[in-house]
Every structure is written in C-alpha cells, then in structure tokens.
Amino acid sequence: DAKTTQPTSMDCAEGRAANLPCNHSTISGNEYVYWYRQIHSQGPQYIIHGLKNNETNEMASLIITEDRKSSTLILPHATLRDTAVYYCIVSRSNDYKLSFGAGTTVTVRA
Amino acid sequence: EAGVTQFPSHSVIEKGQTVTLRCDPISGHDNLYWYRRVMGKEIKFLLHFVKESKQDESGMPNNRFLAERTGGTYSTLKVQPAELEDSGVYFCASSQDRGRQEQFFGPGTRLTVL
C-alpha cells in the first residue's frame, strides 16, 4: 500500500472548518483514500473514503487532487468533540488491512 | 443496532499468566479483525476472520497468540503466556464485506502485563 504523510498536529477553532492534509504521492490507480479517527479512549471510527472524486457525507468532505497525490479532509464546523487523532490510509479496494500511521492530532479549541 | 463489543475493557495480569480477550462483532458481519496498539507504537493489524475461517494471520506476533472464532460469531484472542511487551490496547473490528467497506471498531481492551 502507498505510504501517507500527515502533519503531526494541528489546532482548530471551534465552529471553524478544519482542513486536514494528507500526501500520498505513490498512490496507485486502484487504491482508495480512507480517513479514520480515534477519539481518546475509543476505538477508531470510519469517517469517509474516496477514489478520485470528491466525497461528502454527514461527517466530513474529502477533496482529492486531480493527480491523486494528495487529499484534504474537511470538517466543516469543528466542535470540541472532534478533538481526536485523524488517520489518512491508502488501501486497495480488495484489501482489508488498515495500516494506521501516526496520524494528525487535531485539537479543537473553544 | 449494537456496535462491536469487547470484554474485558481492562485486564491486568502478571507476566507468564494467560489472558483471553473476547470480541462480539456486529450481528451479520462475516468479517472480523483484530488490531493492537502497543505502547508508543502505531495501531497494527493482527488477523482477519471470514466467518469462522482465518483468512490472514500475518500480523500475529508469535505463537503465544491464538485467535478463534468458533461458529463464526464472537471471537477470542488468547495470550499464553503473556509477556511484558504484550501490554497495549487490543481492538476488534467487523465489517459486512471485505475491502471497500468501513470497519466498525470496538472500544478496545487495555491489557497490562506486570
């Protein structure tokens, strides 16, 4: 699976959009971009995934660049409960192993 | 709908003892996964079941770890004998299908080996 690079940490103001970048320059054509997060003392939680088109669900939006070498997870209106470690994972469609890296520790501040 | 449940939530044992962790997946989910995070490290895949069959146990660290899923419902992960380096958080996840499906994680079992 392609390797991903994420910033170690970032802060966000409550109520503002949080934009989380992820680089995956070696991504293959059949690899998807997944985002999970882990809130303290809980198990990881699926957020969203995409292949090449931008995706949106009730939690977030995923913007993938045209060359697919990077993506951005957008939390439109961050709340204190969004404080968590966010993981960007690249995986083939028929793969089941999730390779969690170090992720980005996002702290939402009031 | 109930989520993935894990028991116990915490376990403290002495080195050399045996511990069995249990995972109940979401009803109807054929795929069950075990992951763990040992202290200071990243979350790592351990193994994958499809129903009662082990599909991939490449992440199991050594033969002190034994996972079972009798009847294709709940799963157990036994560590025997436990070593200090086994301390960490063990997560179970399930999914309806493999691959391009979200995995639903349980809250984890925190294992401390003294």
Side-chain angles (χ1 to χ4, degrees):
Chain A
D1 292 338
K3 184 176 172 58
T4 62
T5 304
Q6 299 178 251
T8 302
S9 64
M10 61 183 296
D11 286 0
C12 175
E14 187 179 23
R16 304 295 295 270
N19 297 288
L20 284 62
C22 179
N23 286 322
H24 31 78
S25 58
T26 61
I27 192 170
S28 301
N30 63 348
E31 289 183 313
Y32 286 73
V33 179
Y34 291 81
W35 283 84
Y36 279 75
R37 72 179 181 183
Q38 185 180 19
I39 297 170
H40 183 62
S41 297
Q42 296 181 23
Q45 177 190 23
Y46 166 85
I47 301 173
I48 198 168
H49 75 277
L51 182 62
K52 60 177 73 173
N53 298 323
N54 298 336
E55 302 288 344
T56 296
N57 62 20
E58 66 278 5
M59 290 183 67
S61 294
L62 174 61
I63 308 298
I64 302 174
T65 57
E66 193 168 339
D67 63 7
R68 302 186 70 238
K69 293 185 177 183
S70 66
S71 60
T72 301
L73 178 74
I74 301 172
L75 307 177
H77 306 286
T79 71
L80 300 179
R81 289 174 296 180
D82 291 322
T83 293
V85 180
Y86 287 76
Y87 299 96
C88 172
I89 299 169
V90 169
S91 182
R92 292 185 300 274
S93 63
N94 62 348
D95 202 355
Y96 44 81
K97 298 179 189 178
L98 295 174
S99 298
F100 293 86
T104 298
T105 298
V106 174
T107 303
V108 181
R109 302 190 185 280
Chain B
E1 178 182 286
V4 176
T5 57
Q6 294 187 245
F7 181 83
S9 56
H10 295 83
S11 180
V12 181
I13 60 173
E14 300 280 338
K15 175 183 172 182
Q17 290 185 321
T18 297
V19 63
T20 300
L21 313 180
R22 172 171 171 144
C23 168
D24 286 79
I26 292 173
S27 178
H29 281 191
D30 288 341
N31 293 269
L32 187 148
Y33 317 83
W34 283 96
Y35 294 82
R36 76 169 181 176
R37 183 206 296 275
V38 295
M39 295 307 170
K41 299 289 183 61
E42 300 165 358
I43 298 172
K44 294 292 188 184
F45 167 85
L46 294 179
L47 87 158
H48 169 221
F49 282 100
V50 176
K51 298 184 180 178
E52 67 277 6
S53 299
K54 291 178 189 174
Q55 292 297 295
D56 181 355
E57 50 185 333
S58 61
M60 295 287 264
N62 51 61
N63 59 10
R64 295 186 293 104
F65 289 76
L66 175 64
E68 294 180 320
R69 192 182 182 196
T70 306
T73 54
Y74 71 91
S75 174
T76 57
L77 180 64
K78 181 191 290 187
V79 185
Q80 179 182 30
E83 298 289 344
L84 299 179
E85 63 265 26
D86 300 333
S87 295
V89 182
Y90 290 76
F91 295 104
C92 175
S94 72
S95 69
Q96 195 163 25
D97 198 0
R98 58 184 284 162
R100 195 163 50 85
Q101 293 284 336
E102 64 177 286
Q103 294 183 19
F104 296 84
F105 281 78
T109 293
R110 180 172 294 278
L111 174 64
T112 301
V113 182
L114 302 176

